[in-house]
Amino acid sequence: MNKSEKLKKIRDGLVLLSREREVVLSFHETFHMVDELLEIVDDLIEEESKSLQK
């Protein structure tokens, strides 16, 4: 997954978790989604850190 796809996935996840959402997620689904978004953010931070070290 490239950087643009990761950012889109984060945005889509945040929309689903936002007050504007159309569907209310269960606690389990919400926690799972937050975990997924955190993994993506961690990957982006790691990628950025590596690119700055070069």
Side-chain angles (χ1 to χ4, degrees), residues 10-21 23 25-26 29-35 37:
I10 291 169
R11 187 189 187 293
D12 292 345
L14 290 172
V15 167
L16 284 173
L17 296 171
S18 74
R19 293 180 183 166
E20 311 297 310
R21 66 188 178 267
V23 176
L25 302 173
S26 71
E29 290 172 312
T30 301
F31 295 146
H32 180 70
M33 182 174 293
V34 169
D35 289 343
L37 296 175

Side-chain angles (χ1 to χ4, degrees), residues 7 13 16 24 27 32-33 50:
L7 290 170
L16 284 173
V24 176
F27 285 122
H32 180 70
M33 182 174 293
K50 286 179 182 178

Side-chain angles (χ1 to χ4, degrees), residues 34-47:
V34 169
D35 289 343
E36 282 182 9
L37 296 175
L38 285 171
E39 282 182 30
I40 294 170
V41 170
D42 288 344
D43 287 346
L44 288 169
I45 290 170
E46 185 177 325
E47 288 173 15

